[in-house]
Amino acid sequence: MTLCIDLYVRRKSPMPYLFCLFACLAALASSWFFFTVWVELSSIVLAFMVGKKDRPTARFYLFSQLLGGGLLLMASAMGNSSDGGLLSIGPVPSSLVPLFYVALGIKAALPLLHFWLPRTHSKAPVEASVLLSGYAVKMGIYGMVRMSLGPSPWLLFAGVFMALYGALQGVMQRDAKRLLAYSTMGQLGFMVSSLAAGTDLGRYGSEALILGHALSKGLLFLSVGETEKRYGTRDLAELGRGMKDLPWLFPFFAVGALSLAGAPLTAGGWGKSMVKAGLEGYPLVEACLFLAGLGTVLSLCKLGYYAFLRPFKRDFPTPPSVSPEKGVVGALSLFCVAILAVGVCPPFGSVAFSLYPLKSLMIAVAFFCLVPWPFVPTYSPRDVDSLLSLLGDLSMTVANRILEVHSGNLARYLFYIAVLAVFLMVAVGI
């Protein structure tokens, strides 16, 4: 993945390799303390990459990740042995499980803790989005895998809610990168649900989908990034005709979309089939994830149609012809090869499993073709990040009101306090 980004980006930078180094060290850490340290260092590197395009969003992302890291450090410190030994990465004391889940939930964008994900994805440069979706957000899932807990009903509910909510939000998005961001949230829901089953096969399914999703989403983000560079926008209401103007790009997008949708013989299809195998005995969960899979395919159909297949509006200018860069084609090709190689020769499991998700793929494509009007990109719904902006505006309004009444007259303040104290004494009958 880092090599693909290095090929894709014109401006050579050590940041992707530095991120890769810290992320790999986190995966190899032997204690929760060092796991947290390496994860936070990778977050700082990623924040610098985001800051090249949008510094306020970089600060917002960094502070949110440091919040999760601080909680994780506190939880690991509370679990240290009395002789000062560090808490080994793995199962944690039952009293600390909720705190670990909240800390790792911020990293993994669990419901209500995903406030940082849509904004960061939509504002970050493409190379940062690839690392963010492909690896950084998975570190929270990896931490949950290492906790090695048994079946967890509430975590299973959170995973199902995540998958359904991410799929629903993705279908309604107008911004192409926000659509992919919510798709990431939905796929994380699949991973959490499989992990919450508490079985070895469930953990294997979560790990398989981590790999399949990373490759698929990396290819999709690079495809959307090329579209944005070409047309100067990622607003689906203004895009179109990419199939004609960018005939070399559409096959790459199609491979990434088919893999994310769970097509057979792709990395994503193998991962989702492993998740299905890990959730045997949970028919209601399987049904909900099937609906979430339909939503994922519908959002990809929306992205593919409005970015590549739909004709331009008449008032939209036709961009000049631009030949593809060798580095871009090389990066996209590497992702394609990896997706097909993992799908045909999976590291574990069986290729035969990959036939399961084909049903949801066919149903969703047929529904989109027959009933296209609900997917017209006319607006983007609000989410938790909008609520944060509202709370920020409210706090600034309150602060401004306090400044307006502030006169600097200490005697007046003391008089108000005395009147309030007398009123309270009379009210309580003193």
Side-chain angles (χ1 to χ4, degrees):
M1 181 178 295
T2 306
L3 178 60
C4 292
I5 292 175
D6 188 58
L7 289 172
Y8 179 82
V9 179
R10 302 188 190 95
R11 306 177 307 276
K12 301 301 179 182
S13 170
M15 288 297 182
Y17 290 100
L18 197 58
F19 171 86
C20 181
L21 172 64
F22 291 143
C24 291
L25 288 173
L28 298 174
S30 60
S31 67
W32 285 107
F33 173 79
F34 284 110
F35 171 81
T36 307
V37 170
W38 296 126
V39 168
E40 295 313 306
L41 287 175
S42 68
S43 298
I44 292 173
V45 173
L46 199 54
F48 274 104
M49 296 177 66
V50 175
K52 291 181 180 180
K53 186 176 181 181
D54 192 312
R55 289 189 177 183
T57 298
R59 289 193 294 268
F60 175 73
Y61 166 73
L62 181 59
F63 293 153
S64 64
Q65 297 307 298
L66 290 178
L67 172 62
L71 293 175
L72 196 56
L73 280 176
M74 182 172 66
S76 62
M78 293 170 65
N80 290 341
S81 60
S82 57
D83 60 357
L86 298 177
L87 180 64
S88 298
I89 193 166
V92 300
S94 57
S95 59
L96 297 178
V97 168
L99 187 55
F100 268 91
Y101 271 144
V102 172
L104 294 172
I106 294 176
K107 303 290 184 182
L110 291 184
L112 299 181
L113 301 176
H114 71 284
F115 55 90
W116 57 271
L117 185 65
R119 175 180 172 181
T120 306
H121 262 310
S122 59
K123 301 293 185 181
V126 175
E127 59 272 18
S129 293
V130 172
L131 293 176
L132 178 63
S133 181
Y135 204 122
V137 76
K138 309 290 181 29
M139 294 309 296
I141 302 294
Y142 174 76
M144 294 179 186
V145 171
R146 295 301 301 269
M147 288 173 67
S148 302
L149 298 176
S152 175
W154 79 266
L155 190 61
L156 193 64
F157 171 79
V160 170
F161 180 83
M162 230 174 138
L164 291 172
Y165 184 76
L168 179 62
Q169 281 279 3
V171 166
M172 295 188 292
Q173 294 303 310
R174 178 170 172 168
D175 184 302
K177 287 187 71 175
R178 282 183 73 92
L179 185 151
L180 292 178
Y182 281 108
S183 172
T184 295
M185 182 181 179
Q187 299 306 301
L188 290 170
F190 280 80
M191 302 170 203
V192 171
S193 299
S194 181
L195 181 62
T199 62
D200 290 338
L201 192 55
R203 284 190 288 273
Y204 292 151
S206 181
E207 293 168 2
L209 192 55
I210 285 175
L211 176 59
H213 176 262
L215 297 173
S216 307
K217 196 55 69 68
L219 184 55
L220 288 173
F221 268 114
L222 292 187
S223 301
V224 168
E226 277 302 294
T227 305
E228 184 180 5
K229 284 196 299 185
R230 168 80 173 184
Y231 299 110
T233 182
R234 55 177 186 266
D235 187 348
L236 294 179
E238 298 181 354
L239 289 173
R241 212 177 68 178
M243 182 69 171
K244 181 177 180 180
D245 296 332
L246 304 169
W248 60 272
L249 181 61
F250 183 74
F252 294 117
F253 168 81
V255 171
L258 287 172
S259 178
L260 190 65
L265 302 180
T266 63
W270 165 66
K272 287 194 173 180
S273 296
M274 291 293 295
V275 168
K276 166 69 166 54
L279 286 171
E280 288 187 2
Y282 296 89
L284 181 59
V285 175
E286 289 185 40
C288 291
L289 293 185
F290 181 80
L291 292 176
L294 292 178
T296 298
V297 180
L298 287 171
S299 64
L300 293 172
C301 289
K302 176 179 179 178
L303 177 58
Y305 174 74
Y306 285 101
F308 290 96
L309 302 178
R310 184 188 63 160
F312 269 141
K313 294 189 298 183
R314 292 182 179 179
D315 57 344
F316 197 90
T318 302
S321 177
V322 179
S323 59
E325 300 177 9
K326 293 182 179 180
V328 172
V329 175
L332 295 171
S333 299
L334 280 179
F335 270 121
C336 280
V337 170
I339 287 172
L340 297 176
V342 172
V344 174
C345 302
F348 51 88
S350 171
V351 179
F353 285 168
S354 293
L355 298 177
Y356 159 73
L358 189 60
K359 185 190 298 184
S360 63
L361 176 61
M362 296 176 64
I363 292 174
V365 171
F367 184 80
F368 183 86
C369 293
L370 294 174
V371 191
W373 58 265
F375 310 104
V376 177
T378 55
Y379 72 101
S380 290
R382 292 182 177 272
D383 197 8
V384 180
D385 55 340
S386 302
L387 179 61
L388 290 178
S389 300
L390 181 62
L391 292 176
D393 295 339
L394 180 62
S395 62
M396 288 301 298
T397 301
V398 173
N400 290 331
R401 291 291 297 172
I402 293 175
L403 289 176
E404 288 177 3
V405 300
H406 175 66
S407 63
N409 192 331
L410 181 60
R412 179 180 296 182
Y413 293 150
L414 293 175
F415 173 75
Y416 289 154
I417 292 174
V419 171
L420 180 62
V422 171
F423 176 78
L424 290 175
M425 292 171 65
V426 172
V428 298
I430 297 179

